[in-house]
Amino acid sequence: MTDTVDATTADRALKDRHRAMWALGDYPYVARDLIPELGRVLVAAAGVTRGERVLDVAAGTGNAAVPAALTGAEVVASDLTPELFDAGREAAARAGVELAWEEGDAEALPYADATFDVVLSCVGVMFAPHHQRAADELVRVCRPGGRIGLVSWTPEGFVGEMFRAMRPYAPPPPAGAQPPPLWGDEQHVRELLGDRVTDVVARRQTVTVGGWESPEAWRDSWKAVYGPTIAIYRGIADDPERTAALDRDLAALARRYDRGTGSTVLEWEYLLLTARRA
């Protein structure tokens, strides 16, 4: 009993840290100005249509939820970090749509079995630490014959490489936690979903982001807006040498991927995967 209580307490503390991490910086800027097309791509690939009941898991500011609502679907945006919802509501208001915004843990969704016609997650559920738990929840709340659609950063793409570059500067992950970019590996996701789904379609695509004067300018911006990066820098703030080393590593990564002429332009690879609940 004590072990169970300890595990529950540790899991709650981990989720509290995740919630606080994603509330740092300016994730609304990332979703709105850098990767807005990802939600539209996902909604189109999942074939969301008017009247369907749709859940956007780890929705953040509604990158997929708002485009889904624009189809006429009935949409719920669920996220562990409700601090992001105000920006999402503003985005929905600008688009002229209404949807529900509800706090929820991707590993323990507060919905009954087979509630939704379509379950989506756009670079969201991949950050739940326990991948199988999260995958089980995606399947559970999707009705038989319904669809699951996911966009996830790949391990080999820019964002996956960024997390790999930051890993030596971060605290060791909790027991059982898996790296987020694994969700960008098709075989990993197929194993998570198993024979509970059919008609799996997966392809790798890229989103182009830019507007920075240099790789160093991207790095300095990212240090101010992206929660996981902010958290890692805070953890080494009292170590100037490690901070300088991480500065160098991130700038070097951006320089390696830079496709711009006169400004920094980066291509971020992601896996787009859709499946049908068996």
Side-chain angles (χ1 to χ4, degrees), residues 11 61 79 117 135-136 147 155 182 213 243 246 250:
D11 190 61
T61 58
D79 200 279
D117 300 300
D136 291 348
R147 286 101 67 207
L182 276 179
E213 294 181 355
T243 298
L246 180 54
L250 290 181

Side-chain angles (χ1 to χ4, degrees), residues 190-205:
R190 284 180 176 272
E191 291 172 359
L192 291 174
L193 299 176
D195 60 5
R196 298 171 297 178
V197 302
T198 63
D199 303 326
V200 176
V201 177
R203 59 182 181 269
R204 293 188 175 212
Q205 301 183 171

Side-chain angles (χ1 to χ4, degrees), residues 51-72:
E52 289 190 305
R53 185 156 168 76
V54 177
L55 176 66
D56 184 5
V57 179
T61 58
N63 206 338
V66 172
L70 283 167
T71 70

Side-chain angles (χ1 to χ4, degrees), residues 26-140:
D26 190 0
Y27 190 76
Y29 156 76
V30 176
R32 181 188 66 243
D33 294 352
L34 298 184
I35 57 170
E37 70 184 71
L38 293 189
R40 297 191 291 268
V41 167
L42 178 57
V43 168
V48 177
T49 58
R50 178 176 296 277
E52 289 190 305
R53 185 156 168 76
V54 177
L55 176 66
D56 184 5
V57 179
T61 58
N63 206 338
V66 172
L70 283 167
T71 70
E74 180 184 348
V75 180
V76 177
S78 172
D79 200 279
L80 185 68
T81 306
E83 291 86 346
L84 299 173
F85 289 167
D86 284 347
R89 292 187 182 99
E90 291 174 5
R94 288 194 300 271
V97 294
E98 293 185 0
L99 57 146
W101 299 87
E102 299 176 356
E103 183 176 350
D105 181 351
E107 296 180 2
L109 293 168
Y111 307 108
D113 296 356
T115 297
F116 297 94
D117 300 300
V118 186
V119 179
L120 306 174
S121 189
C122 184
V123 294
V125 73
M126 64 179 292
F127 291 100
H130 306 104
H131 293 189
Q132 192 62 63
R133 285 188 210 169
D136 291 348
E137 286 295 274
L138 297 178
V139 174
R140 181 184 67 79

Side-chain angles (χ1 to χ4, degrees), residues 171-188:
Q178 294 176 280
L182 276 179
W183 279 88
D185 180 279
E186 179 184 346
Q187 186 58 38
H188 180 68

Side-chain angles (χ1 to χ4, degrees), residues 153-171:
W153 303 121
T154 65
E156 301 85 2
F158 178 84
V159 179
E161 292 276 8
M162 180 192 70
F163 277 102
R164 189 173 296 112
M166 294 193 301
R167 188 181 305 153
Y169 303 92

